[in-house]
Amino acid sequence: MPLVFAGTANHAPGITSRREAATPAQREVFFSAYAELRARLERARLDALVVVSSEHFTNFFFDNAPAFCIGLAEAYDGPSEDESFLRIAKTTVPGAADLARHLARAASAEIDLAHSQELLLDHGIMVPLHLLVPQMRLPIVPIIVNCLMPPLPPLARCYDLGCALRRAMDAREERIGLLAAGGLSHWPGTPESGRLNLEFDRGFLHDFLANNRQRLIRHSDEEISTSAGPGGHEIRAWIVASGATEGLIGEALCFEPIPAYAVTGCVATIAVV
Ligand SMILES: [Fe+2]
C-alpha cells in the first residue's frame, strides 16, 4: 500500500498556548483548515503517521546534532513543555516501531539517518497531533530535522530524504500518512517574534504546491535567515514532504497571517491517491 495521506501545517506553540490571542476571523480560517486536514486524514484510515518536524533543543544539542533522526521506539512521551503552558495534556503516543525500522533501513541506502529509541515529543509534533489525532492513538514515526544548529542539512538533501522515504513507504502493506510540521517565516525567541514575511511565505507556498524542486531548494541559509528568520529554516520539513510527493500538486487549505501565533497560518495537503 503506497502513501495514502500527505499534509503540512504550522506547529508554533502559540497555536495552542494562546489560541484566543488571534482574532475570531483568523481562528475561524486557521482552525477550519486544520479541521479539514483532520477530516482528510481520518478518511485515509491510516495505520501509521510519519511526522517530520524540527529540532528545538528538545532531543539534541551542540554536542550531537544529527541532520536527520528517525524514532524507532514503541512509544513516545510528550509534550516536553509544561502542559499548562502548551495546554496539551502529557501523554504517551504509540510508535510504529516496525515501520520505523523498515524506513530507517531502506532509506539508509540513500541517506544517512540517525536513529533513536528515546525521542521526546515537543510542540513541533504535539501541536499538530493535538489538532489532527487528539486521541493520540495513531502510531507515529517521528523524524527530526536539524533546522537549528548550523551547519544545517542542505535543502536538496531534505528533498532527497523525502524521495527515499517515499520509496521505502511504498514497499509496505500499511496505510501510511506523512505530516510535515513547522515554518514558514518566523522569528521565535527573538525580540522580533510576531514578525512575518508574507512575500517569502507566499512564494514558498507557491513553489511547494507546484512541487517545484529547483525553486524549493534554491534558497541559501543566509537568505532564509534574513528573509524568513531563524524559524524559517523549518521549511526543511515541508521540503521533505515535497520529496515524498514528487510530481504531485498540492492544495492550500489556508494562508492566514497570524502575528499572535508568530506565524502565517499555512495548512496544505497533497492528494497522493
Ligand atoms: Fe518549530
Side-chain angles (χ1 to χ4, degrees):
M1 177 61 65
L3 183 70
V4 295
F5 169 85
T8 54
N10 314 97
H11 66 207
I15 293 167
T16 54
S17 69
R18 49 180 186 275
R19 179 177 175 133
E20 68 284 353
T23 68
Q26 291 169 334
R27 293 202 299 267
E28 171 61 24
V29 170
F30 182 63
F31 289 105
S32 292
Y34 243 118
E36 174 61 23
L37 191 63
R38 176 182 172 182
R40 296 187 190 201
L41 184 150
E42 290 177 349
R43 282 201 295 274
R45 296 179 288 109
L46 300 180
D47 296 312
L49 181 65
V50 177
V51 189
V52 183
S53 186
S54 40
E55 179 55 37
H56 302 103
F57 292 135
T58 298
N59 288 292
F60 302 108
F61 199 60
F62 292 103
D63 59 327
N64 180 15
F68 309 110
C69 182
I70 185 169
L72 304 181
E74 299 282 351
Y76 302 93
D77 292 334
S80 57
E81 293 90 346
D82 189 302
E83 58 188 347
S84 64
F85 160 71
L86 199 58
R87 300 185 190 170
I88 297 176
K90 287 189 183 292
T91 189
T92 300
V93 180
D98 186 65
L99 172 63
R101 286 188 179 280
H102 165 77
L103 296 180
R105 195 164 38 238
S108 290
E110 302 167 62
I111 300 280
D112 294 321
L113 268 174
H115 51 80
S116 174
Q117 299 277 357
E118 296 187 359
L119 293 179
L120 276 173
L121 306 183
D122 63 20
H123 68 274
I125 288 179
M126 293 301 285
V127 165
L129 289 186
H130 176 71
L131 294 171
L132 297 173
V133 287
Q135 295 79 25
M136 304 282 183
R137 298 270 53 92
L138 179 62
I140 67 165
V141 177
I143 297 178
I144 305 298
V145 179
N146 175 20
C147 304
L148 187 62
M149 293 168 273
L152 306 179
L155 301 185
R157 199 67 174 152
C158 298
Y159 196 97
D160 293 345
L161 171 61
C163 294
L165 289 171
R166 177 64 185 272
R167 279 188 279 277
M169 290 174 185
D170 285 351
R172 294 289 287 194
E173 295 298 318
E174 298 102 320
R175 298 179 65 83
I176 303 170
L178 174 67
L179 177 73
L184 301 178
S185 72
H186 60 308
W187 279 255
T190 76
E192 296 182 282
S193 182
R195 174 183 169 190
L196 309 174
N197 183 338
L198 298 188
E199 185 181 351
F200 178 92
D201 291 348
R202 202 172 279 118
F204 180 83
L205 183 62
H206 179 271
D207 297 337
F208 175 81
L209 296 176
N211 206 314
N212 188 328
R213 179 182 182 279
Q214 281 311 112
R215 287 189 58 81
L216 285 169
I217 67 171
R218 78 188 191 284
H219 305 282
S220 69
D221 285 354
E222 293 73 20
E223 179 204 342
I224 294 170
S225 293
T226 301
S227 300
H233 295 286
E234 293 183 352
I235 61 172
R236 283 170 171 77
W238 289 56
I239 292 174
V240 173
S242 292
T245 58
E246 187 171 26
L248 299 176
I249 301 300
E251 175 189 355
L253 300 177
C254 92
F255 183 89
E256 178 71 21
I258 311 179
Y261 297 164
V263 289
T264 300
C266 289
V267 180
T269 181
I270 306 101
V272 289
V273 290

